[in-house]
Amino acid sequence: MSLDSSIQYDFIFAGTGCASLSIVMRMIDSGKFADKKILLIDKNLKNRNDRTWCFWEKENGYFENIVHKKWDDLLFKTNELSISLEIDPYQYKMIRGIDFYNYCFSKIRLQPNIEIKPGEISFKEKEIKINDELLPVNNAIVFNSILNTSKKPQDKFYLLQHFKGWIIETPSDQFNHHQGTLMDFGVSQNSGTAFIYVLPLAPNKALVEYTLFTESLLQKEEYDLQLTQYIKHHLNIGDFKLIEEEFGVIPMTNEDFAPNENGMFNIGTAGGQTKPSTGYTFQFIQKQAQQIVQELITNGHPSKKINLKKRFHFYDSTLLHILSKNKLQGKEVFTHLFKKNKAAKVFKFLDNETTLKEELKIISSLPTKEFLVAGVKELIKML
């Protein structure tokens, strides 16, 4: 399919993942862009359940009507303890990738001003190519959600959050589907920070996910082995059927992402919207999408600055320093965090929404020596 050089696009989205679709949906709902020509490009058709987004939220969110399941009750566990987390006024929510894509594209395809093109995207300076064919950008505002993994500044930390999840179904009821396990560190920590989370979807069905924060991936068989052993020995389930599986890798880095680069606006993970210390992304993308659409309506273009309070970047850098240099185990850090603070306060902190007073209380609950030393070193770098 050749590109029509006569078409003048107003907005181009490279990649049609969560970030792009969250912006486009808000553009449609605003009613302010019906006369604008919009192009969406992606090599993937988004026709399978390739991921699951889990996040905490106080009220009904923008995508509330496609929330697959929500929990008011969560546990934090290790081999030594089990803590019932106080998460009110938050709920923990799950959105399935396929539900998100279907919901967005069913609405997008009804818009005569929006065009969708499949293809491999490549960048060279200020040029965009689809399947090696030059795309006429002209004066379009271009949003890019494709992360460039080739450049890694030497003075930054890079860990990978990698995970494999199974949705399993059992012949009889095995789960309290009103209660989820946010983190269970009762698995081997030999590879690095590792935990399981269990999110029951029904009395006989649950998502069981093995997650690690490490510098490199494991062999495929190791993920399956850890999941199998956990289900058998921790959940005491011997008979189950594997319904679905997912695998993902999220960068955990304190790299300074450029909001505007090569004439494009970076969004999503490519625009620094993944929380460096936890990997949570969905809610940060929603905040960015809301801000961008409001700026487009008000100013005609998005801001070239990332809306980020520097002190939260400092906190994230300090934790990445500790984990990357093995100063403390992730298990110990998160145990202190949830044992000594209400989970609702921790959630607010991890959402970058706390006051300095609230942050100091949370920070004081963590191992003083290790965090003080790492914090001073990171502060010197920042200054």
Side-chain angles (χ1 to χ4, degrees):
M1 182 191 301
S2 296
L3 298 173
D4 188 346
S5 60
S6 67
I7 297 178
Q8 300 290 315
Y9 295 106
D10 296 288
F11 300 98
I12 296 172
F13 289 83
T16 59
C18 182
S20 293
L21 296 181
S22 295
I23 294 172
V24 172
M25 289 293 285
R26 286 173 168 85
M27 292 174 75
I28 293 170
D29 286 346
S30 75
K32 303 289 186 180
F33 301 90
D35 61 337
K36 305 298 183 182
K37 190 69 176 174
I38 301 172
L39 174 64
L40 305 178
I41 318 162
D42 203 304
K43 65 179 181 179
N44 297 315
L45 297 176
K46 305 297 184 185
N47 58 0
R48 63 187 183 89
N49 191 43
D50 59 350
R51 68 194 63 220
T52 301
W53 290 290
C54 295
F55 55 96
W56 50 80
E57 192 170 40
K58 286 183 183 178
E59 301 167 348
N60 288 349
Y62 184 80
F63 289 105
E64 189 69 25
N65 57 341
I66 54 169
V67 169
H68 186 66
K69 177 74 175 175
K70 59 180 88 171
W71 298 265
D72 297 308
D73 189 7
L74 293 176
L75 296 175
F76 175 90
K77 301 171 73 174
T78 68
N79 283 332
E80 297 77 33
L81 57 83
S82 177
I83 303 171
S84 181
L85 301 178
E86 298 180 52
I87 70 170
D88 184 64
Y90 293 91
Q91 289 182 308
Y92 199 66
K93 302 179 181 182
M94 171 194 287
I95 290 179
R96 300 169 74 243
I98 190 62
D99 295 337
F100 180 85
Y101 302 139
N102 287 344
Y103 175 72
C104 293
F105 280 113
S106 65
K107 193 166 188 174
I108 288 169
R109 290 192 175 98
L110 297 177
Q111 313 305 313
N113 63 314
I114 301 181
E115 185 179 352
I116 304 169
K117 281 188 181 294
E120 188 78 38
I121 307 168
S122 59
F123 306 102
K124 184 180 179 182
E125 295 180 355
K126 294 186 178 181
E127 294 181 350
I128 302 176
K129 290 185 176 181
I130 307 176
N131 298 327
D132 292 326
E133 190 175 354
L134 190 63
L135 173 69
V137 174
N138 299 318
N139 295 318
I141 292 176
V142 182
F143 293 100
N144 169 56
S145 60
I146 301 172
L147 181 65
N148 181 359
T149 57
S150 62
K151 54 175 186 176
K152 292 184 177 180
Q154 295 299 310
D155 62 336
K156 302 299 181 181
F157 296 110
Y158 290 89
L159 290 177
L160 300 175
Q161 179 180 147
H162 45 116
F163 51 87
K164 186 163 190 179
W166 287 353
I167 293 182
I168 62 171
E169 188 175 86
T170 56
S172 59
D173 293 350
Q174 298 283 344
F175 304 103
N176 174 4
H177 66 105
H178 301 295
Q179 183 182 70
T181 298
L182 181 68
M183 287 177 152
D184 187 346
F185 281 95
V187 292
S188 171
Q189 304 295 303
N190 291 338
S191 298
T193 298
F195 58 91
I196 300 265
Y197 66 81
V198 182
L199 298 176
L201 306 175
N204 69 327
K205 185 187 292 187
L207 170 63
V208 185
E209 193 139 315
Y210 177 50
T211 303
L212 302 100
F213 302 166
T214 62
E215 291 184 352
S216 56
L217 303 182
L218 304 181
Q219 295 294 319
K220 178 182 179 296
E221 297 77 14
E222 184 63 24
Y223 300 98
D224 294 343
L225 176 63
Q226 292 295 333
L227 284 166
T228 301
Q229 289 184 343
Y230 185 85
I231 293 168
K232 181 178 180 181
H233 299 298
H234 289 259
L235 299 181
N236 298 314
I237 295 173
D239 186 11
F240 66 89
K241 181 166 59 174
L242 178 59
I243 304 297
E244 289 182 25
E245 65 178 20
E246 65 177 21
F247 179 82
V249 182
I250 300 171
M252 299 175 66
T253 175
N254 61 340
E255 178 185 338
D256 298 309
F257 288 88
N260 184 263
E261 193 174 28
N262 293 328
M264 299 182 295
F265 292 90
N266 290 327
I267 57 175
T269 296
Q273 297 307 304
T274 291
K275 177 74 169 171
S277 56
T278 64
Y280 279 97
T281 307
F282 188 83
Q283 286 294 71
F284 287 99
I285 282 177
Q286 301 313 312
K287 292 177 185 178
Q288 185 192 46
Q290 181 66 35
Q291 178 186 334
I292 285 174
V293 174
Q294 188 57 55
E295 288 172 345
L296 289 175
I297 293 171
T298 305
N299 306 322
H301 57 81
S303 170
K304 293 185 178 182
K305 295 181 180 180
I306 290 180
N307 184 21
L308 177 67
K309 298 173 184 174
K310 286 188 176 180
R311 67 180 190 273
F312 290 105
H313 186 71
F314 164 66
Y315 303 149
D316 290 329
S317 296
T318 301
L319 179 58
L320 287 178
H321 180 120
I322 285 172
L323 296 180
S324 297
K325 295 184 178 294
N326 297 313
K327 299 300 181 181
L328 288 170
Q329 284 194 326
K331 173 185 175 181
E332 185 176 353
V333 174
F334 285 101
T335 298
H336 276 273
L337 200 58
F338 284 108
K339 189 176 181 180
K340 298 183 178 181
N341 302 279
K342 289 184 178 180
K345 290 291 187 183
V346 176
F347 289 173
K348 186 179 180 184
F349 175 61
L350 296 178
D351 277 343
N352 298 357
E353 294 178 351
T354 42
T355 63
L356 184 57
K357 182 179 178 181
E358 291 171 320
E359 291 148 28
L360 291 174
K361 183 177 184 300
I362 288 174
I363 292 168
S364 68
S365 70
L366 298 169
T368 304
K369 178 183 175 182
E370 291 83 359
F371 273 85
L372 181 60
V373 172
V376 168
K377 289 182 178 178
E378 290 309 306
L379 187 59
I380 291 172
K381 286 184 191 177
M382 291 178 68
L383 295 176

